[in-house]
Amino acid sequence: MTVVGAQGLPGRPDMRSGRVVVLGATGFVGRHVGAALEAAGHQVLAVARRPVKTPPSWHFHPMDLVNDGPAALTQLIEAERPVAVVNAAGEVWSRSAGDMRQSNQLLVDRLLAALGATTQRPRLVHLGSVHEYSPQATGVALAEDSPTHPTTAYGRSKLDVTRAVLRSTEEGLTQAVVLRLSNVVGAGTPPASLLGRVAQQLLAASGSDAPAVVRVSPLRSSRDFVDAKDVSEAVVAAMRSARAVGRVVNIGSGTSQHVRAMVDLLIATSGRAARLVEGTGGTVRPVTDTDWMGVDVSAARELLGWSPRRTPQDMVRDLWEAAADNAE
């Protein structure tokens, strides 16, 4: 049963208004996507496995898509007639290949089956990952035509899903856009991530006069970090762009930041004295070309009319303020 907050928008739904189903709406990226959709004039129908507090203006529908099967989602879409579905659900960097298969691949199998059985064709915006690409050489930015031979189980599971989504559009079963996201940072960044772990260690040391001891893995790599708010705006743009249907579009900041600089920035933003300790785990891993990642976002500018607007300072500030508020 859908829990209703505010009433739907008047008039006939279109791609600039209307209801949008957000799968994984209570997760890190899903919450930002829902906020951006609402700000853009859409009504949010949040779908997640467990009831979690959401804004009162959102509608919430509890659903375990993997276990409930595609019929449940088909029925919801037929009843609610959304203009779009955003898939922000899935497993991130699980140690278990089985968990990743169930939460990423099986979930999308169910999603595509559900969409294929509906009498309408809402736009599908699927959130993929730049980890679907092969590692690139230092200074060579990832473009949409870069080789896709991922070296991790996570990357392989996400690539399989992207291929299935694109195939469904080729077969006329969906109208889908795949956004391959770089490393997303902002309010609600998960504690399992590097910056999330640093924030938690800084908070755990509060109340002590001694500097916080922040333990991290060796900080050798450079990555493309993108603000969660920028990502959510890209989702809204992808939902509205007819030119992006059937395409993969990279979403990142367009620059590569050294992870040490990001950690240092977070510590400085916290205003707390800290001592950084890098652990090697008993081995020293040589620096290789896989330690650099940058993303070319020119296709996003062309197809979506989107460009990243926020800085590392913005995303780190949002991360810290939200983490500190939650701790209080």
Side-chain angles (χ1 to χ4, degrees):
M1 177 179 179
T2 303
V3 180
V4 180
Q7 295 299 311
L9 297 171
R12 183 178 179 181
D14 57 35
M15 294 309 289
R16 305 200 71 82
S17 63
R19 183 169 296 182
V20 178
V21 171
V22 181
L23 304 178
T26 59
F28 165 44
V29 175
R31 285 182 176 273
H32 285 278
V33 168
L37 287 167
E38 189 171 44
H42 293 277
Q43 187 182 70
V44 177
L45 176 50
V47 175
R49 287 176 295 176
R50 292 178 293 275
V52 177
K53 185 177 180 181
T54 57
S57 54
W58 294 12
H59 294 216
F60 182 82
H61 189 97
M63 181 186 299
D64 184 333
L65 184 55
V66 171
N67 293 321
D68 293 347
L73 182 58
T74 297
Q75 292 171 6
L76 180 66
I77 291 172
E78 294 287 11
E80 302 292 346
R81 303 190 66 78
V83 297
V85 175
V86 178
N87 180 30
E91 190 74 31
V92 181
W93 296 113
S94 170
R95 293 179 180 273
S96 167
D99 287 347
M100 282 190 289
R101 165 156 178 76
Q102 177 160 319
S103 298
N104 291 335
Q105 293 165 277
L106 188 55
L107 183 147
V108 172
D109 286 347
R110 300 278 198 267
L111 168 59
L112 296 178
L115 291 173
T118 61
T119 58
Q120 60 170 338
R121 289 290 181 267
R123 176 72 54 82
L124 170 61
V125 180
H126 170 72
L127 303 187
S129 170
V130 295
H131 293 282
E132 297 171 38
Y133 292 111
S134 308
Q136 78 272 42
T138 299
V140 178
L142 288 169
E144 286 75 8
D145 60 355
S146 293
T148 50
H149 299 289
T151 58
T152 65
Y154 171 72
R156 289 189 290 271
S157 74
K158 294 293 287 185
L159 178 60
D160 287 344
V161 165
T162 288
R163 289 171 171 167
V165 170
L166 295 177
R167 189 163 55 247
S168 74
T169 295
E170 291 173 359
E171 295 171 353
L173 300 176
T174 64
Q175 299 182 53
V177 182
V178 176
L179 302 183
R180 282 186 174 143
L181 310 183
S182 63
N183 299 271
V184 185
V185 178
T189 297
S193 68
L194 169 63
L195 295 179
R197 288 196 303 273
V198 171
Q200 292 303 309
Q201 292 179 76
L202 290 169
L203 289 167
S206 61
S208 172
D209 293 333
V213 178
V214 177
R215 301 184 183 278
V216 294
S217 300
L219 301 177
R220 296 177 176 150
S221 60
S222 293
R223 293 287 181 264
D224 185 308
F225 294 92
V226 63
D227 193 290
K229 292 178 181 177
D230 280 336
V231 167
S232 64
E233 292 171 0
V235 170
V236 176
M239 196 185 72
R240 295 174 171 177
S241 170
R243 296 178 63 200
V245 173
R247 303 286 294 271
V248 170
V249 184
N250 290 340
I251 302 298
S253 69
T255 60
S256 187
Q257 300 282 341
H258 199 286
V259 294
R260 178 182 292 278
M262 294 294 288
V263 170
D264 288 344
L265 179 59
L266 176 54
I267 292 172
T269 301
S270 75
R272 306 197 175 190
R275 181 167 62 90
L276 198 59
V277 178
E278 297 183 57
T280 62
T283 62
V284 177
R285 184 171 59 89
V287 176
T288 67
D289 287 341
T290 61
D291 286 315
W292 192 92
M293 177 183 286
V295 178
D296 183 346
V297 295
S298 57
R301 292 190 179 96
E302 178 185 354
L303 296 174
L304 308 182
W306 172 91
S307 295
R309 298 187 296 114
R310 294 174 176 86
T311 66
Q313 289 81 3
D314 294 329
M315 62 185 84
V316 167
R317 183 186 62 249
D318 287 351
L319 183 164
W320 176 252
E321 290 179 352
D325 287 344
N326 289 338
E328 292 175 0

